[in-house]
Amino acid sequence: MKKRKKKKKHYGNVRPKNYRAIYEEKFYDILFQLRYPLMTVIFFTTMGVLILMILNNRSDGESVLNYFFHTVITFSTVGYTEGYQTDPQHLMLNRFFATIFIIVAIPFVYMYGLVTTVNVFMNSNIDEIYRYWRMYKAMEKLKGHYIICRFNGITKELMKNLKRRGIKYVLIEPDASLEKEIREFGVEYYVIDEPHKRSVLLGVGIEQAKGVITAFEDNTQDLSVIVTARLIRPDKDSFMVFATATTEGAAEKMKLLGANEVIVPDVSVGRRMTSFVLHPPSPVLSGFLEKIAYGERTDIDIIEISIGEDSDLVGKKLKDIKMRQETGATVVAIIRADGKMKIAPSGETEIKKGDSLIVLGHPKALRRAEEFFKHHKIEEVETV
């Protein structure tokens, strides 16, 4: 049988940066520093047992166990007594040996081992290493998460909303001086590294992630992240890339390089302020719509569902598909392929190819709605 060659990945042979392994190695380095104290204790304990076996001329199992106990309580200075039957002619030899053993063992074994062990644990930050190791071990199991690049005001608000929705994310921040603030903010998973590197994005699970969100103050860094992310995950439908830009020109470049959506903060704020001027806000209605649009409400949400050629719902009326009865979600608008919008469609409205359905409801109902439309896709039949 011919062996199948492994498919070469389109982004090259870059290895993912293994953050868990980095801290495992640091942990083993700490344990490695304890090798000499441990070897000294084992050596002296073994020598003590062997000498007592020779002095007493006994090597049966019970005697060896007694000699081991005898040796341990001797160099640990817990106390001394034979604790077992000893021949009178061997008693003085045993006690002479114990005296010499204590003189040697205390400075060379007990004190050396104790001081070395305490020094290693006091200066090694083993608790920090363990915390990082545990975080990165859990991070390796993430699937369907988002990767957020940069810790600033924009991403703080984003992370608060994602956390409220129970959506997992990994933060990549190149500035190590912000780590304390990141921890105080309550970020569950983060790495201090350069997000434009392929090894870093692979290390935080970009191959299992839903998307990347980059919000640097410098557009050059955003562009680098977008290019690297699209090199690894080129499919714009299965992997989303969102970014911020300082100008509309930079936003266009980012879209050309693979970003799904780019927000220009100045433009967004300006448009929002314009909407207040043109449509004086209602205390209830505007707040309600804003919370839905920006994901602040967790009990209601809105999504868009596209109707393609592979849907068996094309040509059917809304009342006939019984989507609302099965899922609990409501179609509040339909955007036709030509861009025309039908608000509050009735049950007689026909679903057409290329339609985008705007669906409103509880997040659980919306997930059911997504599954509902997936189940109505026509499966392709292979012809022989």
Side-chain angles (χ1 to χ4, degrees), residues 20 27 40 44 47 53 67 75 88 99 107-108 152 162 171 176 178 184 198 214 225 230 233 240 277 291 311 329 353:
R20 175 182 55 81
F27 182 72
T40 305
F44 272 82
M47 288 299 297
M53 288 170 62
Y67 298 150
F75 78 74
T99 303
F108 289 105
N152 54 27
L162 292 182
L171 173 68
L178 295 175
E184 290 174 350
R198 281 181 290 173
T214 176
V225 173
R230 277 293 170 228
R233 298 288 300 273
M240 311 300 288
V277 172
K291 286 179 179 179
S311 176
K353 183 181 69 175

Coordinates of all heavy atoms in Angstrom, one line a residue, residues 20 27 40 44 47 53 67 75 88 99 107-108 152 162 171 176 178 184 198 214 225 230 233 240 277 291 311 329 353:
R20 N 2.0 26.6 27.1 CA 1.9 25.6 28.2 C 3.3 25.0 28.4 O 3.8 24.9 29.5 CB 0.9 24.6 28.0 CG 0.9 23.5 29.0 CD -0.2 22.4 28.7 NE 0.0 21.8 27.4 CZ 0.9 20.9 27.1 NH1 1.7 20.4 28.0 NH2 1.0 20.4 25.9
F27 N 8.9 25.0 35.2 CA 8.6 24.3 36.4 C 9.6 23.1 36.6 O 10.1 22.9 37.7 CB 7.2 23.7 36.3 CG 6.7 22.9 37.5 CD1 6.4 23.6 38.7 CD2 6.7 21.5 37.5 CE1 6.0 22.9 39.8 CE2 6.2 20.8 38.6 CZ 5.9 21.5 39.7
T40 N 21.6 13.7 47.8 CA 22.4 13.6 49.1 C 21.6 12.9 50.1 O 22.1 12.0 50.8 CB 22.7 15.1 49.6 OG1 23.4 15.8 48.6 CG2 23.6 15.0 50.8
F44 N 22.8 9.3 51.7 CA 23.1 9.1 53.2 C 22.1 8.1 53.8 O 22.5 7.4 54.7 CB 23.0 10.5 53.9 CG 24.3 11.2 53.9 CD1 24.7 12.0 52.8 CD2 25.2 11.1 55.0 CE1 25.9 12.6 52.8 CE2 26.4 11.8 55.0 CZ 26.8 12.6 53.9
M47 N 23.2 4.7 52.7 CA 24.5 4.3 53.5 C 24.2 4.0 54.9 O 24.7 3.0 55.5 CB 25.5 5.5 53.4 CG 26.1 5.7 52.1 SD 27.0 4.3 51.5 CE 28.3 4.2 52.7
M53 N 23.0 -2.7 58.6 CA 22.9 -4.1 58.2 C 24.2 -4.8 58.5 O 24.2 -6.0 59.0 CB 22.5 -4.2 56.7 CG 21.0 -3.8 56.4 SD 20.7 -3.6 54.6 CE 21.0 -5.3 54.1
Y67 N 15.9 -0.7 60.2 CA 17.2 0.1 60.0 C 16.9 1.4 59.2 O 17.4 2.5 59.4 CB 18.2 -0.7 59.3 CG 18.7 -1.9 60.0 CD1 19.1 -3.0 59.4 CD2 18.6 -1.9 61.4 CE1 19.5 -4.2 60.0 CE2 19.0 -3.1 62.1 CZ 19.4 -4.2 61.4 OH 19.8 -5.3 62.1
F75 N 18.8 11.2 61.3 CA 19.3 12.4 60.6 C 18.2 13.5 60.6 O 18.5 14.7 60.4 CB 19.8 12.1 59.2 CG 18.8 11.9 58.1 CD1 18.1 13.0 57.6 CD2 18.6 10.7 57.6 CE1 17.2 12.8 56.6 CE2 17.7 10.5 56.6 CZ 17.0 11.5 56.1
P88 N 22.6 -7.2 72.6 CA 23.4 -6.3 73.5 C 24.7 -6.0 72.9 O 25.2 -4.9 73.1 CB 23.5 -7.2 74.8 CG 22.3 -8.1 74.8 CD 22.0 -8.4 73.3
T99 N 25.5 8.4 66.6 CA 26.1 9.7 67.0 C 26.9 10.3 65.9 O 26.8 11.5 65.6 CB 27.0 9.5 68.2 OG1 26.2 8.9 69.3 CG2 27.6 10.8 68.7
P107 N 24.8 18.9 59.3 CA 25.3 20.0 58.4 C 25.3 19.6 56.9 O 25.1 20.5 56.1 CB 26.8 20.2 58.9 CG 27.1 18.9 59.5 CD 25.9 18.3 60.1
F108 N 25.6 18.4 56.5 CA 25.7 18.0 55.1 C 24.4 17.6 54.4 O 24.4 17.7 53.2 CB 26.8 16.9 55.0 CG 28.2 17.4 55.2 CD1 28.8 17.1 56.4 CD2 28.8 18.2 54.3 CE1 30.1 17.5 56.7 CE2 30.1 18.6 54.6 CZ 30.8 18.3 55.8
N152 N -7.0 48.0 25.2 CA -7.3 49.4 25.3 C -8.7 49.6 25.6 O -9.5 48.7 25.9 CB -6.8 50.1 24.1 CG -7.4 49.5 22.8 OD1 -8.5 49.0 22.8 ND2 -6.8 49.7 21.7
L162 N -18.5 40.5 25.7 CA -18.4 39.1 25.3 C -18.5 38.2 26.6 O -19.1 37.1 26.6 CB -17.0 38.8 24.7 CG -16.8 39.4 23.3 CD1 -15.4 39.1 22.8 CD2 -17.8 38.9 22.3
L171 N -6.8 37.2 24.7 CA -6.2 38.5 24.4 C -4.7 38.4 24.1 O -4.0 37.7 24.9 CB -6.4 39.4 25.7 CG -5.7 40.8 25.6 CD1 -6.4 41.7 24.5 CD2 -5.8 41.5 27.0
A176 N 4.2 44.3 27.8 CA 4.3 43.6 29.0 C 3.9 44.5 30.2 O 3.5 43.9 31.3 CB 5.7 43.0 29.2
L178 N 1.5 46.2 30.7 CA 0.0 46.2 30.9 C -0.5 44.9 31.5 O -1.7 44.8 31.8 CB -0.7 46.5 29.5 CG -0.5 47.8 28.9 CD1 -1.2 47.8 27.5 CD2 -1.0 48.9 29.7
E184 N -6.0 42.5 36.6 CA -7.0 43.2 37.4 C -8.3 43.3 36.7 O -9.4 43.3 37.4 CB -6.4 44.5 37.9 CG -5.3 44.4 38.9 CD -4.6 45.8 39.2 OE1 -5.0 46.8 38.5 OE2 -3.8 45.8 40.1
R198 N 2.9 34.4 13.0 CA 2.1 33.2 12.8 C 2.2 32.3 13.9 O 1.2 31.7 14.3 CB 2.6 32.5 11.5 CG 2.1 33.2 10.2 CD 2.6 32.4 9.0 NE 4.0 32.6 8.8 CZ 4.7 32.0 7.9 NH1 4.2 31.1 7.1 NH2 6.0 32.2 7.7
T214 N -8.9 43.1 15.9 CA -7.7 43.9 16.1 C -8.1 45.3 16.2 O -8.8 45.9 15.4 CB -6.7 43.6 15.0 OG1 -5.5 44.5 15.2 CG2 -7.2 43.8 13.6
V225 N -1.7 42.1 11.4 CA -2.5 41.1 12.0 C -3.5 40.5 11.0 O -3.6 39.3 10.9 CB -3.2 41.6 13.3 CG1 -4.2 40.5 13.8 CG2 -2.2 42.0 14.4
R230 N -5.3 36.1 7.8 CA -5.9 35.6 6.5 C -5.0 34.6 5.8 O -5.4 33.7 5.1 CB -6.2 36.8 5.6 CG -7.5 37.4 5.9 CD -8.7 36.5 5.5 NE -9.9 37.1 6.0 CZ -10.8 36.4 6.7 NH1 -10.6 35.1 7.0 NH2 -11.9 37.0 7.1
R233 N -6.1 31.5 7.9 CA -7.5 31.2 7.7 C -8.1 32.1 6.6 O -8.7 33.2 6.8 CB -8.3 31.5 9.0 CG -7.9 30.7 10.2 CD -8.4 29.2 10.1 NE -9.8 29.1 9.9 CZ -10.7 29.0 11.0 NH1 -10.2 29.0 12.2 NH2 -11.9 28.9 10.7
M240 N -14.0 35.1 10.8 CA -14.2 36.5 10.7 C -13.0 37.3 11.2 O -12.4 36.9 12.1 CB -15.5 36.9 11.5 CG -16.7 36.0 11.3 SD -17.3 36.1 9.5 CE -18.0 37.7 9.5
V277 N -29.4 64.1 16.5 CA -29.8 65.4 16.0 C -31.1 65.3 15.1 O -32.0 66.0 15.3 CB -28.7 66.1 15.3 CG1 -29.2 67.4 14.7 CG2 -27.5 66.4 16.2
K291 N -29.2 49.1 23.0 CA -28.7 47.9 23.8 C -28.7 46.6 22.9 O -27.9 45.7 23.1 CB -29.5 47.7 25.0 CG -29.2 48.8 26.1 CD -30.0 48.7 27.3 CE -29.6 49.7 28.4 NZ -30.4 49.6 29.6
S311 N -31.5 26.3 -0.4 CA -32.5 26.2 0.6 C -33.8 25.8 0.0 O -34.2 26.3 -1.1 CB -32.7 27.6 1.3 OG -33.8 27.5 2.2
A329 N -38.5 32.6 17.5 CA -37.9 33.8 17.0 C -38.8 34.4 15.9 O -39.7 33.7 15.3 CB -36.5 33.6 16.4
K353 N -34.9 33.6 -3.4 CA -33.5 33.3 -3.4 C -32.7 34.7 -3.2 O -33.1 35.7 -3.9 CB -33.1 32.7 -4.7 CG -31.6 32.3 -4.8 CD -31.3 31.7 -6.1 CE -31.4 32.7 -7.2 NZ -31.0 32.2 -8.6

